[in-house]
């Protein structure tokens, strides 16, 4: 079928860092010798995020049809907060709040976390399955602690990370911005939506990827959003859309290139961002373009990492893995919402043909040993999109689990196939950056190999 995205440059998703074999539109990466069989445990969803309740700090209306008005330095300061001091300034570390205000915010946050935790326990119940999964999660975190400590230190103390920039008026409407080392010109930008089973998502989960990409001259904005039970899927999509709008309309102020914005999500974040993208396309195709705050045309490509795109095929799988059907339906807003929040089903609706034609190139990464979300879901979604004329493909990594491509491989140092493929796509049209990538030093190992293997074996994901 003839491609409809004529204005998009060709996507070159493959680097030559190692041989690959192809099957149809799917690319396979050979299994490495270090890998061990993974367990069949699924993370128990627990709400332990830092949930922020803020008064309205932002009332600007954005429009993609015109250039955003650049705010004053004082306005930019009011738009940012840090996680350890809710009113500290992102661009200078200058504090606006008194000790009493900080204590008040901390108390409100603690109260909300406690209240939501008890509410969540009402959904989950108490039993040996959760105890086993909590134990597995604890062991997994301890084994990877050497890497987490390094990432956490950089997250809180790096001068190139702007934490807690406010993008909306709802709780948790903030994002973290990872700035490249060099400021010689505008940089490509990834708007990243983190995963977390729709329950434990948090913007800091994308810190490892953000730090590594910023070292390659790519800016990353990690979007936080309301989790269940604070919000349902409807709220998560709304938050993601607000975050994307803020990035599209304001990123140039931070040195990002508004003409090179990529949308990316991991796990549940891949599902949320795909739903957001498809919903935006439907709005624009339906003539609602004048009342939306960002446009599909501003997104150069979509990257989905280990995501699920057809909930009708996944609801029973999640139930068997420990995310029980009743909880999952509550997260999605009821069984009637499963089709609406299944991008693969939505794009096949004959009434959505005009919307589908607006979609950017879609690249889906997945490990073939992923037991949390089967890789076939990415393969099928890519095939469906291709059949509808969208430029799409799935890239599979043989033998990789749900966390291999996102945590263990980056912490291993050296060559990281998914990371190199991602960078190659973004820098496909920039020969200067390609030359820099070829000369980039190997990343240092963060965690000993024995601990990575043990973590893979006990992973609850």
């Amino acid at each position: 079928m003839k491609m409809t995205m004529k204005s998009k440059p060709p996507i070159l998703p493959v680097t030559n860092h190692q041989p690959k074999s192809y099957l149809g539109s799917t690319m396979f990466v050979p299994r490495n010798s270090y890998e061990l069989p993974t367990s069949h445990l699924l993370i128990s969803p627990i709400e332990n995020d830092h949930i922020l309740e803020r008064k309205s700090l932002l009332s600007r209306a954005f429009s993609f049809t015109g250039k955003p008005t650049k705010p004053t330095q004082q306005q930019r300061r009011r738009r940012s907060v840090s996680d350890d001091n809710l009113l500290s300034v992102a661009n200078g570390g200058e504090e606006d709040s008194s000790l009493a205000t900080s204590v008040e915010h901390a108390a409100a946050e603690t109260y909300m976390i406690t209240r939501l935790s008890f509410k969540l326990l009402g959904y989950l119940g108490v039993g040996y399955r959760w105890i086993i999964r909590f134990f597995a999660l604890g062991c997994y975190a301890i084994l990877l602690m050497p890497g987490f400590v390094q990432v956490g230190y950089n997250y809180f103390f790096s001068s190139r990370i702007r934490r807690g920039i406010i993008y909306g008026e709802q709780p948790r409407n903030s994002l973290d911005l990872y700035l490249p080392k060099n400021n010689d010109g505008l940089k490509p930008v990834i708007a990243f939506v983190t995963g977390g089973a729709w329950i434990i998502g948090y913007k800091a989960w994308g810190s490892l990827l953000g730090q590594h990409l910023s070292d390659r001259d790519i800016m990353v904005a990690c979007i936080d959003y309301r989790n269940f039970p604070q919000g349902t899927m409807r709220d998560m999509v709304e938050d993601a859309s607000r975050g994307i709008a803020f990035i599209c309309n304001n990123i140039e102020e931070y040195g990002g290139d508004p003409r090179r914005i990529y949308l990316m999500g991991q796990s549940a974040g891949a599902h949320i961002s795909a739903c957001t993208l498809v919903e935006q396309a439907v709005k624009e195709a339906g003539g609602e373009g004048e009342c939306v705050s960002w446009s599909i045309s501003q997104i150069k490509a979509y990257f989905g990492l280990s995501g699920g795109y057809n909930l009708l095929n996944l609801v029973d799988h999640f139930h068997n893995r420990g995310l029980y059907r009743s909880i999952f339906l509550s997260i999605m807003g009821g069984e009637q919402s499963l089709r609406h929040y299944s991008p693969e089903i939505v794009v096949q609706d004959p009434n959505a043909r005009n919307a589908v034609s607006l979609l950017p190139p879609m690249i889906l990464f997945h490990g073939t040993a992923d037991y949390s979300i089967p890789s076939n879901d990415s393969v099928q979604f890519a095939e469906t999109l291709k059949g509808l004329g969208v430029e799409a493909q799935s890239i599979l990594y043989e033998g990789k689990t749900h966390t291999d491509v996102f945590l263990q491989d980056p912490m291993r140092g050296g060559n990281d196939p998914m990371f190199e493929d991602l960078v190659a796509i973004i820098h496909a049209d920039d020969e200067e950056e390609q030359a820099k990538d070829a000369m980039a030093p190997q990343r240092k190992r963060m965690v000993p190999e024995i601990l990575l293997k043990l973590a893979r074996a006990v992973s609850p994901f």
Side-chain angles (χ1 to χ4, degrees):
M1 181 176 292
K2 185 177 180 181
M3 298 295 182
T4 60
M5 301 301 295
K6 295 181 180 179
S7 62
K8 302 290 182 181
I11 293 297
L12 303 174
V14 189
T15 62
N16 58 1
H17 48 74
Q18 58 176 303
K20 299 181 176 70
S21 57
Y22 294 85
L23 180 60
S25 65
T26 303
M27 179 195 312
F28 289 87
V29 179
R31 177 193 295 269
N32 292 331
S33 59
Y34 63 79
E35 293 171 296
L36 296 176
T38 186
S39 64
H40 286 244
L41 295 174
L42 174 68
I43 180 174
S44 301
I46 289 297
E47 175 66 50
N48 62 352
D49 299 317
H50 298 287
I51 303 173
L52 307 179
E53 279 190 341
R54 307 186 188 93
K55 294 182 179 179
S56 175
L57 296 177
L58 183 67
S59 59
R60 295 180 60 187
F62 303 115
S63 173
F64 65 86
T65 58
K67 294 183 179 179
T69 301
K70 293 189 176 182
T72 64
Q73 184 177 11
Q74 184 179 4
Q75 287 174 321
R76 285 198 297 270
R77 287 175 177 171
R78 286 199 296 267
R79 203 165 55 213
S80 60
V81 298
S82 66
D83 291 6
D84 54 349
N85 187 331
L86 296 180
L87 294 178
S88 65
V89 180
N91 64 349
E94 181 180 339
E95 297 182 0
D96 295 321
S97 63
S98 64
L99 178 60
T101 303
S102 299
V103 172
E104 180 183 353
H105 278 287
E109 181 179 347
T110 301
Y111 169 75
M112 176 169 286
I113 292 174
T114 302
R115 178 171 59 84
L116 291 175
S117 296
F118 278 109
K119 183 178 180 180
L120 182 61
L121 285 174
Y123 284 96
L124 300 179
V126 179
Y128 74 95
R129 287 188 178 183
W130 300 118
I131 296 175
I132 293 175
R133 283 159 174 77
F134 290 151
F135 179 75
L137 179 60
C139 292
Y140 179 80
I142 291 172
L143 291 168
L144 296 183
M145 190 58 65
F148 291 148
V149 169
Q150 297 175 60
V151 174
Y153 180 84
N154 290 331
Y155 179 72
F156 286 106
F157 296 106
S158 173
S159 61
R160 293 195 289 117
I161 300 176
R162 302 287 185 261
R163 292 180 288 115
I165 300 174
I166 300 296
Y167 68 76
E169 300 177 358
Q170 295 297 323
R172 297 190 61 175
N173 278 187
S174 65
L175 58 85
D176 294 333
L177 195 60
Y178 296 79
L179 305 176
K181 291 181 179 179
N182 304 317
N183 56 2
D184 52 343
L186 300 179
K187 306 297 182 181
V189 182
I190 289 182
F192 185 73
V193 183
T194 60
W198 303 275
I199 295 178
I200 60 171
Y202 184 52
K203 56 189 172 63
W205 297 171
S207 188
L208 180 60
L209 180 66
Q211 293 176 30
H212 285 168
L213 285 172
S214 65
D215 288 339
R216 293 289 191 92
D217 265 358
I218 299 171
M219 188 178 295
V220 180
C222 291
I223 301 172
D224 205 10
Y225 55 92
R226 286 169 288 178
N227 287 186
F228 182 81
Q230 189 181 23
T232 62
M233 186 64 186
R234 174 71 269 155
D235 302 306
M236 300 177 203
V237 170
E238 288 179 356
D239 288 349
S241 184
R242 289 192 193 98
I244 296 168
F246 179 88
I247 294 166
C248 287
N249 291 283
N250 296 274
I251 201 62
E252 190 170 1
E253 300 170 15
Y254 300 93
D257 189 345
R259 297 166 301 177
R260 291 187 291 168
I261 297 176
Y262 300 84
L263 178 61
M264 182 176 184
Q266 185 264 339
S267 190
H271 170 248
I272 294 169
S273 55
C275 288
T276 306
L277 193 67
V278 171
E279 184 172 293
Q280 183 74 10
V282 171
K283 288 181 179 179
E284 294 184 26
E288 300 179 40
E290 294 183 0
C291 62
V292 296
S293 54
W294 62 283
S295 171
I296 291 292
S297 63
Q298 294 174 279
I299 305 300
K300 193 173 178 65
Y302 168 82
F303 303 117
L305 176 59
S306 306
Y309 310 99
N310 189 331
L311 299 186
L312 296 184
N313 293 340
L314 292 172
V315 60
D316 290 333
H317 172 79
F318 290 148
H319 179 83
N320 294 331
R321 298 280 296 162
L323 185 55
Y324 298 135
R325 185 183 184 91
S326 59
I327 302 173
F328 186 70
L329 293 180
S330 297
I331 294 172
M332 294 300 141
E335 188 167 4
Q336 71 280 0
S337 298
L338 294 182
R339 287 184 173 274
H340 179 73
Y341 294 121
S342 295
E344 183 184 348
I345 295 177
V346 174
V347 297
Q348 295 181 75
D349 187 336
N351 296 324
R353 288 298 174 89
N354 291 335
V356 171
S357 67
L358 300 176
L359 292 176
M362 310 280 280
I363 301 94
L364 311 179
F365 305 101
H366 221 122
T368 61
D370 189 332
Y371 299 106
S372 294
I373 302 178
S375 59
N376 185 62
D377 212 67
S378 288
V379 175
Q380 185 59 46
F381 187 35
E383 291 296 331
T384 298
L385 290 169
K386 288 182 64 179
L388 296 171
V390 179
E391 186 176 349
Q393 65 174 305
S394 57
I395 302 177
L396 301 186
Y397 300 95
E398 184 67 21
K400 300 293 185 179
T401 67
H402 198 67
T403 55
D404 277 335
V405 292
F406 191 63
L407 284 177
Q408 283 97 274
D409 283 354
M411 289 186 176
R412 179 170 282 108
N415 182 59
D416 180 351
M418 191 284 294
F419 178 81
E420 296 299 336
D421 284 340
L422 179 62
V423 172
I425 295 172
I426 296 174
H427 288 162
D429 300 325
D430 193 328
E431 295 183 359
E432 182 178 349
E433 289 297 338
Q434 290 178 22
K436 291 181 181 179
D437 292 336
M439 300 298 293
Q442 291 286 313
R443 289 183 298 182
K444 295 181 179 179
R445 175 181 289 275
M446 304 176 70
V447 179
E449 186 64 26
I450 182 63
L451 296 183
L452 290 172
K453 290 181 178 180
L454 289 174
R456 191 179 194 271
V458 303
S459 173
F461 301 95

